[in-house]
Amino acid sequence: MKKPLLIALVLGVTLSSCIKDYIGLPGHGHDTDVSNLTFNQIGTFANGSGDEGFAEISAFDAKTNKLFIVNPNENEISVWDISNPSTAIKLSGISLNGTPNSVAVNDGILAVAVENTNKQENGTIETYDTETQQLVNSYTAGALPDMVTFSPDGKYIIAANEGEPNDDYSVDPEGSITVIDLKKNKIGTLYFANFDAETIGNEFRVFGPGASLTQDIEPEYVAVSTDSKYAYVTLQENNGIAVVDLQGMTIRAVYGLGAKDHMMPYNTMDASNRDDSIGNFQNWPVHGLYMPDAIAFAEVKSSNYLITANEGDSRDYDGYSEEARVEDLELDATAFPNAEELQKEENLGRLKTTLASGDIDGDGDYDKIYSYGARSFSIWDTYGALVYDSGDEIGRRTFEMAPDYFNADEGEADGRSDDKGAEPEAVTTLKMGKSTLLFVGLERTGGVLVYDITNPTAPEFLNWIFDVQDMAPEGLLVVPAKDSPTKENLLIVTNEVSNTISIYEIKS
C-alpha cells in the first residue's frame, strides 16, 4: 500500500474524495448533508497485550463516563474512565465467576452475559451499578448467552443464548432467547418448539447430527425496535432471523434469509487464495448464505429496517463438521458440466463450502454450491424481505483503497478469499440531523466502513476508517453527542485481535 494512502487511513481522513466512483456499483450518486464528515481518532489504548481476547465488546455509561469492556481472557469486565478520551484511565475491573461474552448499559445499570463454566449449561445475566460496580442482580439465562442488550426504554434486557454443542457433539442444548422485564421482575426464556424448518423455508438450515430444530437453532445477536416492542435476533448458522414480542414474551416469527446468487451482476467475488491474483473478481455458480452476525434496527423516514453484517459461520467440531472445499465435492454432472475446470484451485477449488446443503435430490452429489456469508451488509424490512444488499461493494472498495489488506489473513492479502472475504462482523447506526449513518466493521480486512443510509434502497459510501494497528473489530459502539464526554458524536471500535480500543470523533 502506498504511504500517502496509509496516512489518510490511519488519521481517518475522508477518503471518498481520494477515489473515483465505481461504474455500475450500487449505492452511488446522491449528495447528503453528511458527505463531508470527518472521523478523527481522539483516543486509543490497549486493554491487554500478547494473545488476543482481552477486548471484545464495549458499553459506555454516560453517567460516569466509564467504558466497560468484555475481557474473556481474565474473566472480567475491564473498566476505563474516558472522560478525556485522549488519556483514558484504567480503573478496577469487575471479576466474574464465568466467561463474559457481551455487555450493555442503560441508565446506570450494566448488564453482562456470562457463560457457564460448562458451556452447555445455563448461563446468567448479571447486572451491576455502573458507579459502585457492585452486583445488583443475577438472572438465569439459557445455555451460552452470547449477546445482551437493553430495550431503548430500559424496560427489558434481552439475551441471545447460542446453545452450542460440546466438541464431540454428544450434548447439544437448545438455543433460546431470554427476556427480562425489569419493571415486573419477570424472566422468560423462549424456545423454538413451535417452528419447523420446512414451514420457515427460504434456505433456513437445520442440520446438526440428530438435532431437533430447538437444539439446532443458535441465536447470535439482538436488535430492538425504537418503540421497545420487538426484538430481532439473528440465527447465524441457521441463516435466519427471529422476531420476539417483548411484552408477550413470545417468538412471533422466524424468517429464512435465502441465498445470494454470485452469478448475478454486482455479486462477483474473489474465490481463491491460490490464483496468483489479488482482487480477482468474477461471477461464480455459488450461492452465498447470508448467515448474519450482528444486526441493527433503524427507523428511517418513518419506516423500519433491519441491517445485518453477513459474516457467515460454519459448524466445525471434532464430532461433526460441515466444512469442505469445492475441490472435495462430487459435483452433479448436469448442474456442473465444467466441474473439472471449476474445481481447480485457481478457480473455485479452494472455496469453503458446506456438506449440509446442496444435494437437492438426495443422490449423493451436489447440485448447488453454497458458501458461508454474503461478503456484504444487507438492509431488510422487518418481515425478512430484502431491501438492499451491498453486493461486491465491500470487496471492491477495500481492494481499490488498500490492496495490501484485501481479504487479509493475519496481514497476508488475499488469504481469506477462499473463505469469507473481509468478514463483515459488526453493524451499528447513528442519527445525525435528518441523516442516518451506518457503520460496518470488517473482522478480517479491518477497519470500519461508513455509509449514509438515509435512502435505504441506495446507501452512499462515505469513508473507510482504518488504522493498521487495530486488528479484527469485534464491537462497534456509537455515543450520541448528548451523551458524549466531548459533546460530539463518537464511534468506539473494540478490536479483538489487537486488544485495542479506538475512539473517533465525528464532525461535519
Side-chain angles (χ1 to χ4, degrees):
M1 181 168 57
K2 295 180 180 179
K3 191 172 182 180
L5 178 57
L6 175 60
I7 293 172
L9 291 168
V10 171
L11 295 179
V13 175
T14 300
L15 294 171
S16 55
S17 61
C18 300
I19 58 175
K20 295 180 179 178
D21 278 345
Y22 301 106
I23 297 173
L25 277 179
H28 300 279
H30 77 270
D31 295 326
T32 74
D33 58 354
V34 293
S35 58
N36 293 315
L37 289 178
T38 59
F39 303 84
N40 297 314
Q41 189 183 95
I42 60 170
T44 186
F45 57 91
N47 196 52
S49 60
D51 293 338
E52 64 185 78
F54 290 91
E56 291 193 352
I57 303 294
S58 297
F60 176 73
D61 177 46
K63 288 188 172 183
T64 60
N65 285 329
K66 290 178 180 178
L67 188 68
F68 298 90
I69 303 167
V70 169
N71 182 344
N73 279 0
E74 298 179 321
N75 281 354
E76 75 161 27
I77 300 302
S78 301
V79 185
W80 290 74
D81 181 344
I82 61 167
S83 298
N84 183 350
S86 64
T87 56
I89 301 170
K90 190 168 187 179
L91 307 176
S92 296
I94 300 171
S95 297
L96 302 165
N97 294 318
T99 302
N101 289 319
S102 181
V103 285
V105 166
N106 181 270
D107 195 25
I109 297 295
L110 171 74
V112 185
V114 184
E115 71 180 52
N116 199 305
T117 51
N118 178 348
K119 289 174 67 173
Q120 283 67 53
E121 297 292 333
N122 286 341
T124 59
I125 304 301
E126 313 283 343
T127 58
Y128 295 84
D129 184 291
T130 56
E131 187 170 354
T132 66
Q133 297 179 196
Q134 297 299 305
L135 182 69
V136 175
N137 215 330
S138 179
Y139 305 93
T140 299
L144 189 56
D146 196 46
M147 192 273 180
V148 67
T149 193
F150 285 88
S151 59
D153 64 4
K155 182 178 180 180
Y156 302 101
I157 298 174
I158 308 99
N161 309 310
E162 195 161 5
E164 286 184 349
N166 61 354
D167 203 46
D168 66 8
Y169 232 103
S170 61
V171 180
D172 186 4
E174 294 182 344
S176 61
I177 300 163
T178 295
V179 179
I180 303 166
D181 187 328
L182 295 171
K183 304 296 184 185
K184 297 179 180 178
N185 197 28
K186 179 182 177 183
I187 307 172
T189 294
L190 317 178
Y191 296 90
F192 291 80
N194 294 330
F195 297 91
D196 67 85
E198 287 189 8
T199 302
I200 297 169
N202 201 23
E203 306 285 6
F204 188 81
R205 309 169 79 220
V206 175
F207 60 96
S212 64
L213 180 141
T214 54
Q215 289 174 305
D216 204 72
I217 277 185
E218 295 188 6
E220 184 78 23
Y221 207 95
V222 184
V224 185
S225 59
T226 51
D227 62 10
S228 299
K229 291 183 177 180
Y230 297 101
Y232 300 88
V233 183
T234 56
L235 313 173
Q236 186 172 27
E237 287 81 358
N238 310 102
N239 192 41
I241 293 176
V243 183
V244 179
D245 178 340
L246 294 176
Q247 183 176 4
M249 290 193 178
T250 57
I251 301 172
R252 291 193 56 172
V254 177
Y255 305 130
L257 297 180
K260 177 175 183 171
D261 185 353
H262 285 285
M263 287 297 290
M264 297 294 290
Y266 313 130
N267 284 350
T268 64
M269 65 174 173
D270 186 332
S272 177
N273 62 341
R274 294 186 183 172
D275 54 3
D276 296 323
S277 177
I278 297 175
N280 183 16
F281 294 97
Q282 295 188 44
N283 289 115
W284 294 108
V286 172
H287 299 268
L289 296 163
Y290 288 94
M291 305 178 82
D293 187 336
I295 185 172
F297 181 94
E299 184 178 347
V300 183
K301 297 179 180 177
S302 300
S303 294
N304 296 329
Y305 300 95
L306 306 174
I307 303 111
T308 58
N310 304 320
E311 178 200 26
D313 199 8
S314 66
R315 289 189 178 138
D316 184 24
Y317 299 89
D318 286 346
Y320 169 76
S321 178
E322 64 171 305
E323 285 189 1
R325 296 189 187 274
V326 172
E327 63 187 356
D328 299 320
L329 298 182
E330 182 182 347
L331 296 178
D332 181 84
T334 301
F336 301 102
N338 59 337
E340 184 176 353
E341 184 67 19
L342 287 175
Q343 290 179 297
K344 291 181 178 178
E345 289 194 338
E346 64 267 29
N347 294 324
L348 284 183
R350 293 284 300 165
L351 183 69
K352 283 190 177 179
T353 183
T354 174
L355 298 172
S357 305
D359 181 6
I360 308 302
D361 52 17
D363 64 353
D365 60 26
Y366 287 82
D367 311 283
K368 285 187 176 182
I369 299 170
Y370 287 93
S371 59
Y372 301 106
R375 307 188 183 204
S376 63
F377 71 87
S378 295
I379 301 176
W380 316 79
D381 69 18
T382 53
Y383 299 95
L386 186 64
V387 174
Y388 172 86
D389 182 80
S390 64
D392 51 17
E393 163 95 347
I394 290 175
R396 290 188 180 275
R397 285 285 183 191
T398 54
F399 171 69
E400 182 71 18
M401 298 170 73
D404 288 351
Y405 294 90
F406 172 75
N407 288 353
D409 184 20
E410 297 182 355
E412 179 188 352
D414 207 33
R416 296 291 290 185
S417 292
D418 62 319
D419 202 329
K420 293 174 285 184
E423 290 193 27
E425 164 94 4
V427 286
T428 193
T429 62
L430 173 67
K431 288 278 190 182
M432 288 192 70
K434 296 180 180 180
S435 299
T436 301
L437 299 184
L438 170 67
F439 302 90
V440 184
L442 306 180
E443 183 176 15
R444 294 290 176 170
T445 298
V448 181
L449 297 172
V450 188
Y451 288 84
D452 175 12
I453 60 166
T454 307
N455 179 356
T457 63
E460 181 182 1
F461 173 77
L462 298 179
N463 205 338
W464 182 18
I465 304 169
F466 182 37
D467 187 328
V468 295
Q469 299 178 62
D470 291 335
M471 292 179 284
E474 178 76 12
L476 301 182
L477 173 66
V478 292
V479 180
K482 65 181 180 63
D483 297 325
S484 166
T486 70
K487 303 307 177 186
E488 299 283 353
N489 294 302
L490 300 180
L491 171 68
I492 302 175
V493 185
T494 309
N495 300 281
E496 181 180 13
V497 172
S498 57
N499 301 311
T500 52
I501 294 87
S502 289
I503 303 172
Y504 294 87
E505 199 169 60
I506 307 168
K507 290 184 176 181
S508 56

mmCIF file of all heavy atoms in Angstrom, residues 173-191:
data_model
loop_
_atom_site.group_PDB
_atom_site.id
_atom_site.type_symbol
_atom_site.label_atom_id
_atom_site.label_comp_id
_atom_site.label_asym_id
_atom_site.label_seq_id
_atom_site.Cartn_x
_atom_site.Cartn_y
_atom_site.Cartn_z
ATOM 1 N N PRO A 173 -27.386 -28.403 23.612
ATOM 2 C CA PRO A 173 -28.504 -27.735 24.295
ATOM 3 C C PRO A 173 -29.360 -26.934 23.336
ATOM 4 O O PRO A 173 -28.929 -26.589 22.231
ATOM 5 C CB PRO A 173 -27.804 -26.823 25.303
ATOM 6 C CG PRO A 173 -26.467 -26.560 24.706
ATOM 7 C CD PRO A 173 -26.092 -27.803 23.951
ATOM 8 N N GLU A 174 -30.548 -26.633 23.773
ATOM 9 C CA GLU A 174 -31.462 -25.848 22.944
ATOM 10 C C GLU A 174 -31.031 -24.388 22.919
ATOM 11 O O GLU A 174 -30.650 -23.812 23.938
ATOM 12 C CB GLU A 174 -32.890 -25.957 23.485
ATOM 13 C CG GLU A 174 -33.472 -27.361 23.383
ATOM 14 C CD GLU A 174 -34.904 -27.430 23.869
ATOM 15 O OE1 GLU A 174 -35.350 -26.485 24.556
ATOM 16 O OE2 GLU A 174 -35.589 -28.412 23.563
ATOM 17 N N GLY A 175 -31.084 -23.793 21.725
ATOM 18 C CA GLY A 175 -30.889 -22.356 21.626
ATOM 19 C C GLY A 175 -32.121 -21.634 22.125
ATOM 20 O O GLY A 175 -33.243 -22.142 22.011
ATOM 21 N N SER A 176 -31.934 -20.444 22.658
ATOM 22 C CA SER A 176 -33.065 -19.747 23.266
ATOM 23 C C SER A 176 -32.821 -18.241 23.318
ATOM 24 O O SER A 176 -31.727 -17.757 23.023
ATOM 25 C CB SER A 176 -33.317 -20.278 24.689
ATOM 26 O OG SER A 176 -32.185 -20.056 25.520
ATOM 27 N N ILE A 177 -33.862 -17.520 23.713
ATOM 28 C CA ILE A 177 -33.798 -16.073 23.888
ATOM 29 C C ILE A 177 -34.371 -15.750 25.262
ATOM 30 O O ILE A 177 -35.499 -16.154 25.574
ATOM 31 C CB ILE A 177 -34.590 -15.336 22.789
ATOM 32 C CG1 ILE A 177 -34.020 -15.668 21.415
ATOM 33 C CG2 ILE A 177 -34.587 -13.831 23.039
ATOM 34 C CD1 ILE A 177 -34.958 -15.339 20.269
ATOM 35 N N THR A 178 -33.604 -15.052 26.088
ATOM 36 C CA THR A 178 -34.078 -14.671 27.418
ATOM 37 C C THR A 178 -34.538 -13.220 27.396
ATOM 38 O O THR A 178 -33.833 -12.344 26.894
ATOM 39 C CB THR A 178 -32.973 -14.854 28.474
ATOM 40 O OG1 THR A 178 -32.665 -16.247 28.587
ATOM 41 C CG2 THR A 178 -33.432 -14.346 29.833
ATOM 42 N N VAL A 179 -35.739 -12.990 27.928
ATOM 43 C CA VAL A 179 -36.287 -11.639 28.070
ATOM 44 C C VAL A 179 -36.507 -11.378 29.556
ATOM 45 O O VAL A 179 -37.208 -12.140 30.232
ATOM 46 C CB VAL A 179 -37.613 -11.487 27.304
ATOM 47 C CG1 VAL A 179 -38.170 -10.069 27.489
ATOM 48 C CG2 VAL A 179 -37.425 -11.799 25.824
ATOM 49 N N ILE A 180 -35.916 -10.321 30.066
ATOM 50 C CA ILE A 180 -36.059 -9.928 31.463
ATOM 51 C C ILE A 180 -36.844 -8.623 31.515
ATOM 52 O O ILE A 180 -36.405 -7.602 30.978
ATOM 53 C CB ILE A 180 -34.690 -9.745 32.138
ATOM 54 C CG1 ILE A 180 -33.863 -11.029 32.033
ATOM 55 C CG2 ILE A 180 -34.854 -9.322 33.602
ATOM 56 C CD1 ILE A 180 -32.395 -10.846 32.376
ATOM 57 N N ASP A 181 -38.029 -8.661 32.123
ATOM 58 C CA ASP A 181 -38.841 -7.463 32.323
ATOM 59 C C ASP A 181 -38.433 -6.858 33.658
ATOM 60 O O ASP A 181 -38.783 -7.369 34.731
ATOM 61 C CB ASP A 181 -40.327 -7.830 32.319
ATOM 62 C CG ASP A 181 -41.237 -6.607 32.349
ATOM 63 O OD1 ASP A 181 -40.838 -5.586 32.960
ATOM 64 O OD2 ASP A 181 -42.344 -6.674 31.793
ATOM 65 N N LEU A 182 -37.661 -5.785 33.612
ATOM 66 C CA LEU A 182 -37.115 -5.203 34.833
ATOM 67 C C LEU A 182 -38.187 -4.542 35.689
ATOM 68 O O LEU A 182 -38.060 -4.488 36.919
ATOM 69 C CB LEU A 182 -36.027 -4.188 34.479
ATOM 70 C CG LEU A 182 -34.775 -4.764 33.810
ATOM 71 C CD1 LEU A 182 -33.869 -3.639 33.311
ATOM 72 C CD2 LEU A 182 -34.015 -5.672 34.759
ATOM 73 N N LYS A 183 -39.246 -4.041 35.079
ATOM 74 C CA LYS A 183 -40.312 -3.382 35.837
ATOM 75 C C LYS A 183 -41.123 -4.390 36.640
ATOM 76 O O LYS A 183 -41.491 -4.158 37.788
ATOM 77 C CB LYS A 183 -41.234 -2.606 34.884
ATOM 78 C CG LYS A 183 -40.528 -1.581 34.010
ATOM 79 C CD LYS A 183 -39.894 -0.464 34.814
ATOM 80 C CE LYS A 183 -39.274 0.589 33.890
ATOM 81 N NZ LYS A 183 -38.546 1.636 34.645
ATOM 82 N N LYS A 184 -41.388 -5.538 36.010
ATOM 83 C CA LYS A 184 -42.206 -6.571 36.662
ATOM 84 C C LYS A 184 -41.367 -7.643 37.338
ATOM 85 O O LYS A 184 -41.919 -8.557 37.952
ATOM 86 C CB LYS A 184 -43.125 -7.223 35.629
ATOM 87 C CG LYS A 184 -44.128 -6.278 34.989
ATOM 88 C CD LYS A 184 -44.988 -7.010 33.967
ATOM 89 C CE LYS A 184 -46.003 -6.069 33.333
ATOM 90 N NZ LYS A 184 -46.833 -6.772 32.294
ATOM 91 N N ASN A 185 -40.034 -7.525 37.204
ATOM 92 C CA ASN A 185 -39.128 -8.546 37.735
ATOM 93 C C ASN A 185 -39.548 -9.942 37.249
ATOM 94 O O ASN A 185 -39.620 -10.903 38.020
ATOM 95 C CB ASN A 185 -39.080 -8.510 39.262
ATOM 96 C CG ASN A 185 -37.858 -9.258 39.797
ATOM 97 O OD1 ASN A 185 -36.823 -9.345 39.127
ATOM 98 N ND2 ASN A 185 -37.982 -9.812 40.997
ATOM 99 N N LYS A 186 -39.786 -10.022 35.962
ATOM 100 C CA LYS A 186 -40.258 -11.259 35.332
ATOM 101 C C LYS A 186 -39.235 -11.718 34.306
ATOM 102 O O LYS A 186 -38.698 -10.909 33.542
ATOM 103 C CB LYS A 186 -41.606 -11.008 34.654
ATOM 104 C CG LYS A 186 -42.201 -12.209 33.948
ATOM 105 C CD LYS A 186 -43.513 -11.820 33.287
ATOM 106 C CE LYS A 186 -44.111 -12.971 32.500
ATOM 107 N NZ LYS A 186 -45.363 -12.569 31.796
ATOM 108 N N ILE A 187 -38.952 -13.017 34.296
ATOM 109 C CA ILE A 187 -37.967 -13.579 33.366
ATOM 110 C C ILE A 187 -38.660 -14.625 32.486
ATOM 111 O O ILE A 187 -39.374 -15.498 32.981
ATOM 112 C CB ILE A 187 -36.801 -14.259 34.105
ATOM 113 C CG1 ILE A 187 -36.190 -13.313 35.128
ATOM 114 C CG2 ILE A 187 -35.731 -14.712 33.104
ATOM 115 C CD1 ILE A 187 -35.169 -13.992 36.020
ATOM 116 N N GLY A 188 -38.420 -14.542 31.196
ATOM 117 C CA GLY A 188 -38.908 -15.569 30.278
ATOM 118 C C GLY A 188 -37.783 -16.019 29.365
ATOM 119 O O GLY A 188 -37.121 -15.186 28.738
ATOM 120 N N THR A 189 -37.515 -17.310 29.334
ATOM 121 C CA THR A 189 -36.559 -17.849 28.371
ATOM 122 C C THR A 189 -37.354 -18.584 27.303
ATOM 123 O O THR A 189 -38.097 -19.527 27.598
ATOM 124 C CB THR A 189 -35.525 -18.759 29.049
ATOM 125 O OG1 THR A 189 -34.727 -17.954 29.930
ATOM 126 C CG2 THR A 189 -34.601 -19.396 28.022
ATOM 127 N N LEU A 190 -37.226 -18.116 26.082
ATOM 128 C CA LEU A 190 -38.091 -18.525 24.981
ATOM 129 C C LEU A 190 -37.376 -19.518 24.083
ATOM 130 O O LEU A 190 -36.217 -19.323 23.713
ATOM 131 C CB LEU A 190 -38.516 -17.303 24.167
ATOM 132 C CG LEU A 190 -38.930 -16.059 24.976
ATOM 133 C CD1 LEU A 190 -39.283 -14.918 24.028
ATOM 134 C CD2 LEU A 190 -40.088 -16.368 25.907
ATOM 135 N N TYR A 191 -38.109 -20.585 23.709
ATOM 136 C CA TYR A 191 -37.551 -21.627 22.854
ATOM 137 C C TYR A 191 -38.346 -21.702 21.548
ATOM 138 O O TYR A 191 -39.346 -21.001 21.366
ATOM 139 C CB TYR A 191 -37.564 -22.968 23.593
ATOM 140 C CG TYR A 191 -36.680 -22.971 24.818
ATOM 141 C CD1 TYR A 191 -37.186 -22.590 26.066
ATOM 142 C CD2 TYR A 191 -35.339 -23.321 24.735
ATOM 143 C CE1 TYR A 191 -36.375 -22.566 27.197
ATOM 144 C CE2 TYR A 191 -34.517 -23.310 25.858
ATOM 145 C CZ TYR A 191 -35.044 -22.930 27.078
ATOM 146 O OH TYR A 191 -34.238 -22.905 28.183
#
